[in-house]
Amino acid sequence: MIITFTANPSLDRTVALPGPLERGEVQRAVSVRQESGGKGVNVSRALVASGLESLAVLPGADGDPVLAGLRESAVPFVSLPIDEPLRTNVALTEPGGVTTKINEPGPVLGADQQEALVKLLLESSRGASWVVLAGSLPPGFPDNFYATVARRIREAGNGTAPLIAVDSSGAPLAAALTGNGASDAGTSGGPGTGGGTTTGSGKPDLLKPNAEELAELAAAAGFAPASGDELEADPAAAAAAAAAVVRSGVGAVLATLGSKGAVLVTADGAWLATHPPVAAVSTVGAGDSALAGYLLAHGRGATPADCLRQAVAHGAAAASLPGSTVPAVNQTTPDAVTITALRKD
């Protein structure tokens, strides 16, 4: 069982335009799609579509459209009832896959609601293989929320806690890297080696940044400054940057590089995976699908390189689908993915 935790879920509306976005002008949409979303929700949707057990943990009133969408798509979930409606995010997609996103901030949850949400996650994660902490945080949440939750999951597991993946951005992602006050005793090997991060640590077993987020993480880990564009254009540099993050105590880094593929770095190696070009329709949720592909392969006992292979196959398939549609494993083409071993430094 893989548990996903989405503190700031959303109703994702994707508006497809017939041509480039024209600011200040009136344009007619080609189509409009609507799906329950948020990074963790998208991961659960992709896992369930591929026949893997997953449970989404999130806030939301029983009649909220986000929860209604999960019921309709048969994605198991547990929710913390709240009074405010969940946010709606809008994505504008142009031909060729160029995507402009407008994300609302989400409802404000008080300290008592935050604690209740954490307790719901702790109860739900007993016996799970992975817990995925994903997405932005609602207004009022502390930046170190994910680091604190990771530590509490491990303390509650008492040596048998699930592996923990984090996919976020900005301050919450930076805090996940440092543990931000949690007990950081180092790692005993990342998910690619069969070990997990030390009990009590707030650092994740797996981080899933994009190129821009990887640049920020690597700078925080002492790596020579580089932009996201530079890392996306140079997979070897991306691998070196990810290696700096792994040396800081994170189990593994799965860095998605857009059309350039992805790199995976663990304590034992580094790999690049590329997929032949696809006709991109929408990039919304492609990174979430890549993470789902990785977890799907990991659950089947695949090697780190083959986990990366399935991640890139899932991400490519997602980019070829409309809106935030997630692919099932039979819609992916892992045999088309090329794996190259890289130096870590």
Side-chain angles (χ1 to χ4, degrees):
M1 171 69 78
I2 294 176
I3 307 299
T4 66
F5 179 75
T6 310
N8 205 15
S10 59
L11 187 66
D12 287 349
R13 291 177 56 84
T14 304
V15 180
L17 301 176
L21 175 65
E22 299 176 13
R23 294 184 61 191
E25 301 296 329
V26 175
Q27 292 177 268
R28 297 188 183 277
V30 174
S31 65
V32 178
R33 296 180 63 90
Q34 182 169 289
E35 286 113 357
S36 300
K39 283 184 173 296
V41 167
N42 290 341
V43 172
S44 278
R45 288 171 53 222
L47 292 171
V48 170
S50 295
L52 202 69
E53 286 189 308
S54 182
L55 179 73
V57 179
L58 69 164
D62 186 62
D64 194 279
V66 174
L67 302 191
L70 290 176
R71 291 190 190 95
E72 184 177 342
S73 52
V75 175
F77 68 89
V78 292
S79 61
L80 175 73
I82 61 173
D83 294 330
E84 293 186 65
L86 297 172
R87 61 183 180 149
T88 297
N89 293 340
V90 177
L92 306 176
T93 62
E94 305 171 34
V98 175
T99 302
T100 302
K101 295 193 68 177
I102 303 171
N103 292 350
E104 295 182 3
V108 176
L109 301 183
D112 290 345
Q113 290 173 306
Q114 293 178 30
E115 177 61 20
L117 195 56
V118 173
K119 288 182 177 178
L120 182 62
L121 173 61
L122 294 176
E123 293 169 4
S124 302
S125 62
R126 294 193 186 103
S129 57
W130 281 88
V131 171
V132 178
L133 308 175
S136 63
L137 296 174
F141 274 56
D143 291 341
N144 68 345
F145 183 79
Y146 285 146
T148 300
V149 169
R151 175 176 52 79
R152 290 184 62 178
I153 289 172
R154 293 194 175 108
E155 289 172 349
N158 193 27
T160 61
L163 296 169
I164 297 172
V166 173
D167 182 3
S168 189
S169 59
L173 182 62
L177 170 66
T178 64
N180 201 25
S183 174
D184 300 322
T187 62
S188 57
T193 61
T197 303
T198 303
T199 301
S201 171
K203 296 186 179 184
D205 298 289
L206 178 69
L207 276 177
K208 209 294 302 165
N210 60 26
E212 182 178 347
E213 293 157 355
L214 175 60
E216 296 173 0
L217 286 171
F223 186 74
S227 69
D229 288 342
E230 290 171 330
L231 296 183
E232 189 166 302
D234 185 353
V245 176
V246 170
R247 287 194 297 271
S248 75
V250 171
V253 173
L254 170 64
T256 51
L257 306 176
S259 62
K260 303 294 184 181
V263 296
L264 173 67
V265 177
T266 73
D268 297 326
W271 302 267
L272 165 70
T274 56
H275 191 285
V278 299
V281 176
S282 171
T283 59
V284 179
D288 307 330
S289 290
L291 178 54
Y294 178 97
L295 298 174
L296 178 67
H298 187 272
R300 294 175 173 174
T303 65
D306 281 337
C307 290
L308 175 62
R309 182 189 302 277
Q310 190 59 56
V312 169
H314 254 77
S320 69
L321 298 173
S324 56
T325 305
V326 294
V329 68
N330 61 7
Q331 295 175 286
T332 70
T333 52
D335 290 344
V337 176
T338 299
I339 301 290
T340 305
L342 299 174
R343 290 174 55 91
K344 293 193 299 176
D345 47 27

